[in-house]
Amino acid sequence: MKDILTAEFFVEMVRTATNMYNHGWDERNSGNISLLLDESEVAKYVDVNRVLRTLPTGFKAPELNGKYFLVTGTGKYFKNVQYAPDVNLGLVKIIDDGMNAQLLWGFSDGGKFTSEFPAHMMSHAARLSVNPANRVIMHCHPTNILAMTYVHTLDEREFTRTLWQMCTECIVVFPDGVNVLPWMLCGTNEIGEATAEKMRTARLVVWAQHGLYAAGADLDEAFGLIETAEKAAEIYLKIAHLPLVNTISDEAMHLLEGRFAVKARDGYLS
């Protein structure tokens, strides 16, 4: 059996968590990541029949039954993932139609998966239904996106258009736009269900006055979505109080659609 610490997916998970902390997106124990893995990947590094513990999930997701996830732990600091990955990360297999998860590796201090596990798993199920290549759900607290939810309307079309207008690459990176939820109590099935529903039409879901959820085919895609939206929000906050002299017009964004073979979300451009 190979050492899981050397697995490409594991190394990238640690690197991503570290980068997210260094970007200032995951203060203290905020933020969480879950990475969907194939059994063929997992079986090279752990005995899939050796269950360390069984953890209740508190929700039902039969479409995820039998799937494997590498996930960050509850109460864990992203800054510590690189130093003690076996404490801060866990590898689990979903069983009992999603009601339980078998811990196969990690959480060696007796911990468990993130309190946002329901939102992650429900979002995975939603994204897989529209994009079978989806493997990552990522949650963090990017400063400028969070700040933007205090001063900008939460209308999804307007929020998206503002971000698109801040940076030429935005409509290319997230042509599906950004969905937005008003403030809700975190760590509940209710916010998990609401986030999952939003995930059906966009890979970025803003939690107003809280943070951001991103979905991607891999860790780079999810990270890049957050990075791009956060940069656009930063530009917006720098200029929002100033007279707007220039902008990226809808005509220009249509040109970007053609140049980069993307399609803006229906109804979001004139």
Side-chain angles (χ1 to χ4, degrees), residues 145 148-149 152-165 174-184 193-208 212-213 229 253 264-269:
I145 286 285
M148 189 172 165
T149 66
H152 192 286
T153 171
L154 300 183
D155 177 85
E156 292 171 342
R157 182 179 184 274
E158 294 307 311
F159 204 97
T160 293
R161 285 177 55 82
T162 293
L163 294 177
W164 282 351
Q165 290 167 350
F174 51 97
D176 45 344
V178 174
N179 284 341
V180 184
L181 285 175
W183 188 93
M184 297 178 67
E193 291 164 357
T195 304
E197 187 59 33
K198 294 291 187 182
M199 278 284 180
R200 295 185 185 278
T201 53
R203 293 166 296 154
L204 286 168
V205 178
V206 174
W207 285 7
L212 183 65
Y213 258 69
M253 284 191 269
R265 188 162 172 172
D266 287 344
Y268 277 37
L269 294 178

Side-chain angles (χ1 to χ4, degrees), residues 116-127:
E116 301 293 354
F117 198 65
H120 275 253
M121 294 301 104
M122 293 175 190
S123 290
H124 272 290
R127 287 305 306 170

Side-chain angles (χ1 to χ4, degrees), residues 168 171 247-259 269:
T168 297
I171 196 170
T247 190
I248 302 173
S249 67
D250 283 22
E251 181 182 6
M253 284 191 269
H254 281 305
L255 291 175
L256 288 167
E257 285 182 298
R259 174 65 179 83
L269 294 178

